[in-house]
Amino acid sequence: MPSHDFRAPRLFVDAPLAQDVRVPLDRDQSNYLGNVLRLAAGAEVLAFNGRDGEWQAAIEGRKRPDGLVILQQTRPQDALTDLTYVFAPLKHARLDYMVQKAIEMGAASLQPVLTRFTQASRVNTERMRANVVEAAEQCGILSIATVAEPVPLERYLSQRAAGRLLIFCDEAAEEQNPIQSLRGAQEAGHGIDVLIGPEGGFAEEERALLLRQPSILRLALGPRIMRADTAAVAALALVQAVLGDWGGKTA
């Protein structure tokens, strides 16, 4: 089991963290601590910023929480596997869910791509970043994943580093054991990109373009067609178990 406190409230703060440093709280953070959690001055929380590890901190403020004083470090900063989750955006609540689950599964960065059958024409990346922070706060994660602006699939493929392993989750792929397929993949020393398409699938010209990419693994996710948000969890679990940090490897 991870050695950290699951019960203490955790708060992401975008400020340097070190012993005896005082960190001001913004209005939303003050409201969350004071009105939602009903915490007052002197109560302790855990603070992290994605750079300096996790710290025990005490709330300051008279009428309402308005700052934190940093007490001592509880965990040093870690590093996520170099794993990018690449996906065709979904609409509203299902996109929120998918982003949160990708963070829980250990994705270090999120890259929305626009395909012919992408359902959502607009992508709120600020909302995505808020979901990243919330998932990290709730799940004891120390690193904050980056969120890229959406780009067309063709542009993403033309700009990605050729040395990265591209795991293309394709519902049209011939069914075979995905664990064996991943074990047979090349060493992912230059990073991993996991691509999930829209629920309408990839257009044939998109699939042909993907299969021409270097360092690609076409992966089937079993005998059933999954919704895109379910496929995200399934694919990331497989990749982390075989090539990522679940098995003690880093990429």
Side-chain angles (χ1 to χ4, degrees), residues 105 221 226 229-239:
M105 301 301 290
L221 295 178
M226 300 179 186
D229 44 354
T230 307
V233 177
L236 291 170
L238 287 167
V239 171

Side-chain angles (χ1 to χ4, degrees), residues 82-83 160-165 186-193 215 250-251:
D82 186 1
L83 173 61
R160 66 182 296 271
R164 296 178 65 84
L165 175 62
Q186 67 175 55
E187 287 296 321
H190 297 288
I192 305 171
D193 298 336
S215 305
T250 58

Side-chain angles (χ1 to χ4, degrees), residues 83-89 98 109 111-115 118 151-154 156-157 160 164-171 192-198 201-202 206-207 209-211 213 216-221 228 231-232 235-236 239:
L83 173 61
T84 297
Y85 178 53
V86 186
F87 60 96
M98 186 167 66
S109 58
Q111 174 62 71
V113 292
L114 305 177
T115 70
T118 295
V151 295
L153 175 65
E154 295 81 359
Y156 157 73
L157 292 174
R160 66 182 296 271
R164 296 178 65 84
L165 175 62
L166 175 59
I167 298 176
F168 166 34
C169 299
D170 186 6
E171 73 278 2
I192 305 171
D193 298 336
V194 178
L195 172 63
I196 299 286
F202 290 99
E206 293 172 335
R207 182 174 284 107
L209 177 61
L210 283 162
L211 293 177
Q213 300 303 306
I216 188 168
L217 172 64
R218 189 184 189 190
L219 194 69
L221 295 178
L236 291 170
V239 171

Side-chain angles (χ1 to χ4, degrees), residues 15 20 43 59 95 114 126 138 150 159 182 197:
D20 297 328
I59 296 174
L95 178 59
L114 305 177
E126 286 305 310
Q138 293 180 352
Q159 294 175 347
L182 288 165

